[in-house]
Amino acid sequence: MDKQQLSKDILKLVGGEENIDQVTHCMTRLRFNLNDNKKADKATLKNTPGVMGVMENGGQFQVIIGNDVPVVYNALVGNMSKSPNADASSGAASGEKQKKNVISALFDFISGVFTPILPAITGAGMIKGIVAILVAVGWLSDKSSTYTILSAIGDGAFYFLPIILAISAARKLGSNMFIAAALAAGIMHPTITALLAAGDTTFIGIKVIAASYSSTVIPIILAVWIASYVEKAIDRITHASLKLLVVPTVTLLIMVPVTLMTVGPLGTVLGNGLSGGISWLFENMSIFASILIGGTMSLLIITGMHYALLPIVVGSMTTLGYDFIIPLMFAANLAQGGAAFGVGLRSKNSKTKSLAYSTGLTAVMGITEPAMYGINMKFKKPFIAALIGGAVAGAFMGIFNVRSYVITGLAGLPSIAAFISPAISTLLFALAGGVIAIVAAAILTYILGFQEEDAPQAASTSAATVPAKESVKESAPVVTEETKAQDEQVFSPITGEVRPLSEVPDPAFAEEIMGKGFAIQPAEGRVVSPINGTVFSLSKSGHAIGLVSDTGAEMLIHIGIDTVKLKGQFFSPKVQAGAKVSVGDVLMEFDREEIEKAGYTTITPVIITNMHQYTSIESAGRTTVKEQELLFTAKA
C-alpha cells in the first residue's frame, strides 16, 4: 500500500488543507478538527483502500487507519504547506466549531452520567419484571413477605436513584463522588422528607419549598453540577493541610440548603413537566409521536442524539412507572434486523448473505451496529427500509399504547420482559409490533432492492501489513497471506472485569472494525504482556500498545477511550518499541483513578487486529480475570 498516495487521498477527501484546523493521531486513527465536517466526503473515504472506517465523535472527524497510522500521519503532514495545528483564521468557522463542541459536550455529559448507571437500574428493573410475571401467573402472592422483599430489591435502585446519579455525575464532572453522595443523602434523609411533607418549613428564616426527591433525576444533577463549582472554588482557597476538613464541610453546608430552597424545587418542576409533557404527547398524539420516534430512532443513534432521551426515559420510569420510548427503540432495532434479513434474502453474493443473516440476528437481539453500519447503510436502500419499518411498527405500538415497565440495557428480544404488566395484552402487542418491524423492513428491502458492488478489500487487508523497510517503531512486522496461522492463546494483560467489545463506548471497537477480542474494566493500573512476542508499537501518549506474537498474531491493547488527549499524563511505559517480551512482563503502568477523575473511561480493549488470519475468537468464559489468566483463544 502506497502511504504517500493514501495520505494525499485523505487530505483531498477531508476537504483539503484549508479545511483542516488541527490533526493528530492516536494508535489507530487520524483525528481531525475540521472547519466544516460537511466538506469531508465520508462515503468515498470509507471505500478508500487503506481506510478501515470513518466516524465523528466528540467534535472530531476520525479516519481509522490501523497500525499504519503513524506512517500515514507523517506523510499527510509532509503534504501540507502549513502547520496542521494552526488556529482557524475564520471567525465563522471558529464560531461553528464552538457551537458543535457545546452540543457534543452536552451529549457526552448525559451519556457519561446515565450510561454507567444503566446496569444498576436495568438489573433492578428486570427484577420488577420477574416479580410481575410471578404475580401474573399466580406463583407469588402480592400479600406475601417474599413479594415485599423482592419488590424492595427492584424498587431500591429507583427510590435511591438520586444517590446513584450523584455519584455518576460527580465522577463525570471530576468532583468528589462521596461529597455528591452525601449531598443526595442529605436531601433524601427521612427526617427532612417528613419535615417537607408536613409543610411550612423554613431554614434560617427562609421558606423551604416542599418537594419529594426520591426517584427524581433532574434536581440532583443540577445540584451536583453547581456543587462541583462550589467544591473546586473552596478547594482553591483552602490550605492543603485543611482541605480534608474544610472542603467537604463547607460544600455540604452550602449545597444542601441551597438545593432544598432553590435547585431542588426548580429541578422537580422541570422533571415533572418533562415527564408530564411526554405522557401528554403520547396520550393525545400517540400515533404521530410513535411514528416520528420509531422512524427516526436509528438516525438519532447515528448522530448520538439518542443520549438526550436517557433522562426522559429514566424520569418517566421513576415518576410514572412506565415509559413510551423504549418500545420504539425496540421497534427500530428489530427493523434494522429485518432490513438485514431482507438483504440476505435478495443478495446473490454468498458472503453478503452470510453477513446479512448474522448481523440481522444480532440486531434483533438488541445490538444493531453491525447490521446498521455493515449492511443497511452500506447498501443505503435497506437503511431507508429499516426507518420505514420502525415507523410502521411504531404506529402499531402507538395505537395500542404499548409501554415499557422496565429499563433495559438492550432493546431487543432478550428484553421482552420489560413489556409485562398486569395486562398481558401489552406484552402481546409488543411482540406483534416487533414482528411487524422485522417483516415490514425485510419486505421493503426486498422490493426496493439494492446495488451490490465489488467492495474494496481494504477492510479485510491486515492493517499491520507494511513494507519491511519501514521502522519497527512506526509499523508492525510483515505478516504475509501465505503465513500459516496457529491457534493463539491470549492471556489477560490486566486484572479486572471482562466485558464484550460491544460495551466499549467507541464504534471502532464496539463494531469490531479494528479487530476482535474482549475489553477489560481495570481493577489495577498495570498492563503486562498477554503473549510471547515483540512490542512493535508504543504510542507517544502511552495509551496504546501494539504487539506481535511469535506465531504472528498482531494485537492492540488500548487503555481507555480518547485517552490520547491526556498526552501521556498518568501513563508510565516500561518497555520500548522493538522489545522482546514474554507473558507477564510489565508493559505499562497507569494511574487509573486520575484518568477517571479527568473524565475518561479506562475500559481497555484487547484485540487481534489481523483477524483475516483467524476463523474465530473463543472466550475463556471468565467474567473477572487476573493478570496472566487465559482471556481468549484466536482459532486458526
Side-chain angles (χ1 to χ4, degrees):
M1 185 191 303
D2 187 341
K3 306 300 186 300
Q4 279 289 342
Q5 185 57 49
L6 176 59
S7 69
K8 292 178 182 178
D9 292 342
I10 293 173
L11 184 61
K12 177 182 177 181
L13 293 171
V14 298
E17 183 176 343
E18 64 278 3
N19 195 37
I20 299 175
D21 178 39
Q22 293 183 340
V23 59
T24 58
H25 75 87
C26 60
M27 191 73 170
T28 58
R29 64 193 77 180
L30 297 170
R31 294 170 173 263
F32 292 92
N33 289 98
L34 301 179
N35 294 323
D36 185 356
N37 284 5
K38 294 179 181 179
K39 291 183 179 180
D41 188 346
K42 290 178 66 173
T44 305
L45 265 173
K46 288 179 180 179
N47 290 321
T48 300
V51 174
M52 301 179 70
V54 177
M55 57 183 285
E56 295 181 53
N57 186 27
Q60 287 187 331
F61 187 89
Q62 302 176 5
V63 180
I64 304 168
I65 302 296
N67 295 324
D68 291 342
V69 69
V71 183
V72 177
Y73 172 80
N74 290 334
L76 178 78
V77 173
N79 289 325
M80 298 175 66
S81 60
K82 64 179 182 179
S83 169
N85 296 319
D87 293 334
S89 58
S90 168
S94 298
E96 177 187 347
K97 182 171 59 181
Q98 180 65 29
K99 183 186 296 184
K100 177 176 62 180
N101 287 340
V102 168
I103 295 173
S104 177
L106 176 61
F107 289 154
D108 177 67
F109 175 73
I110 294 173
S111 171
V113 172
F114 284 90
T115 301
I117 73 169
L118 285 179
I121 57 179
T122 296
M126 290 303 296
I127 291 171
K128 294 178 69 173
I130 292 169
V131 171
I133 294 173
L134 295 176
V135 172
V137 298
W139 292 354
L140 180 66
S141 169
D142 58 5
K143 307 298 183 183
S144 67
S145 58
T146 300
Y147 170 84
T148 302
I149 292 172
L150 290 175
S151 296
I153 296 172
D155 290 333
F158 293 97
Y159 184 87
F160 293 104
L161 183 62
I163 297 177
I164 299 174
L165 278 171
I167 294 171
S168 185
R171 180 176 180 178
K172 182 63 179 175
L173 292 165
S175 55
N176 189 292
M177 295 182 291
F178 303 103
I179 294 178
L183 166 58
I187 65 173
M188 292 184 65
H189 193 281
T191 301
I192 290 183
T193 301
L195 188 65
L196 292 176
D200 198 24
T201 304
T202 61
F203 178 76
I204 58 173
I206 302 174
K207 184 174 178 59
V208 177
I209 301 174
S212 175
Y213 297 106
S214 62
S215 303
T216 57
V217 173
I218 295 180
I220 194 61
I221 291 179
L222 289 174
V224 172
W225 176 60
I226 297 172
S228 69
Y229 288 97
V230 173
E231 177 190 334
K232 291 170 185 176
I234 298 169
D235 184 81
R236 280 195 300 270
I237 62 175
T238 304
H239 190 274
S241 62
L242 298 174
K243 287 182 186 292
L244 181 62
L245 177 65
V246 173
V247 174
T249 303
V250 177
T251 302
L252 289 173
L253 279 175
I254 293 174
M255 285 309 305
V256 172
V258 166
T259 300
L260 291 172
M261 290 186 290
T262 59
V263 178
L266 174 61
T268 300
V269 171
L270 291 174
N272 291 340
L274 187 60
S275 298
I278 293 295
S279 180
W280 180 91
L281 179 65
F282 277 94
E283 288 175 0
N284 293 275
M285 304 177 65
S286 179
I287 298 178
F288 171 76
S290 298
I291 291 174
L292 180 63
I293 298 178
T296 61
M297 181 59 67
S298 295
L299 294 174
L300 296 178
I301 292 172
I302 291 171
T303 60
M305 293 178 66
H306 64 296
Y307 289 126
L309 299 176
L310 285 173
I312 298 175
V313 170
V314 176
S316 295
M317 194 68 70
T318 54
T319 57
L320 303 175
Y322 54 82
D323 169 68
F324 292 101
I325 294 176
I326 290 177
L328 303 177
M329 292 181 177
F330 177 76
N333 286 356
L334 266 61
Q336 290 292 337
F341 291 149
V343 171
L345 290 170
R346 176 145 184 160
S347 174
K348 305 299 184 183
N349 184 299
S350 60
K351 184 177 179 181
T352 300
K353 276 182 174 292
S354 175
L355 184 62
Y357 286 137
S358 62
T359 59
L361 180 60
T362 61
V364 299
M365 298 303 286
I367 303 172
T368 59
E369 286 82 359
M372 189 158 57
Y373 291 105
I375 294 293
N376 299 338
M377 291 180 67
K378 176 182 177 182
F379 294 120
K380 299 180 179 63
K381 288 183 180 179
F383 184 71
I384 296 173
L387 298 182
I388 296 173
V392 172
F396 176 86
M397 291 186 171
I399 291 171
F400 291 99
N401 203 27
V402 177
R403 302 172 179 179
S404 171
Y405 295 87
V406 175
I407 293 178
T408 59
L410 293 174
L413 289 181
S415 64
I416 196 66
F419 304 107
I420 295 176
S421 72
I424 195 67
S425 58
T426 299
L427 173 62
L428 298 178
F429 287 137
L431 285 170
V435 171
I436 290 171
I438 294 172
V439 173
I443 291 175
L444 278 170
T445 298
Y446 195 88
I447 293 173
L448 292 174
F450 50 90
Q451 184 66 40
E452 284 192 86
E453 298 177 354
D454 293 329
Q457 298 302 310
S460 63
T461 302
S462 172
T465 303
V466 295
K469 65 182 180 179
E470 293 179 10
S471 167
V472 71
K473 292 186 178 182
E474 295 180 331
S475 60
V478 174
V479 178
T480 66
E481 295 293 335
E482 292 75 19
T483 301
K484 177 69 174 178
Q486 304 176 30
D487 286 0
E488 182 71 52
Q489 287 190 320
V490 177
F491 298 89
S492 180
I494 302 175
T495 296
E497 182 180 349
V498 180
R499 304 276 185 84
L501 286 179
S502 60
E503 293 188 14
V504 177
D506 185 314
F509 293 108
E511 297 162 26
E512 299 184 342
I513 294 174
M514 295 302 307
K516 294 185 178 182
F518 288 87
I520 299 174
Q521 185 62 56
E524 300 175 358
R526 190 170 84 151
V527 180
V528 302
S529 178
I531 46 91
N532 297 325
T534 303
V535 178
F536 70 75
S537 184
L538 182 66
S539 65
K540 291 181 180 179
S541 58
H543 75 290
I545 306 162
L547 305 106
V548 61
S549 74
D550 291 338
T551 59
E554 297 164 15
M555 296 193 60
L556 173 66
I557 303 172
H558 197 283
I559 306 167
I561 301 302
D562 281 339
T563 43
V564 63
K565 297 176 182 178
L566 291 172
K567 299 180 180 179
Q569 188 179 14
F570 311 130
F571 292 94
S572 178
K574 302 302 178 184
V575 293
Q576 294 182 342
K580 293 287 291 182
V581 292
S582 300
V583 174
D585 288 349
V586 180
L587 305 178
M588 177 75 63
E589 291 180 353
F590 60 96
D591 194 325
R592 181 172 57 91
E593 291 80 7
E594 290 299 323
I595 293 172
E596 292 174 349
K597 282 182 181 179
Y600 298 90
T601 176
T602 54
I603 192 169
T604 300
V606 180
I607 61 174
I608 299 287
T609 58
N610 60 332
M611 273 305 299
H612 67 289
Q613 298 279 348
Y614 299 90
T615 60
S616 62
I617 293 293
E618 184 178 281
S619 170
R622 292 185 169 91
T623 56
T624 58
V625 70
K626 295 181 180 179
E627 290 178 4
Q628 303 183 54
E629 288 184 341
L630 183 64
L631 180 62
F632 64 84
T633 301
K635 305 294 288 185

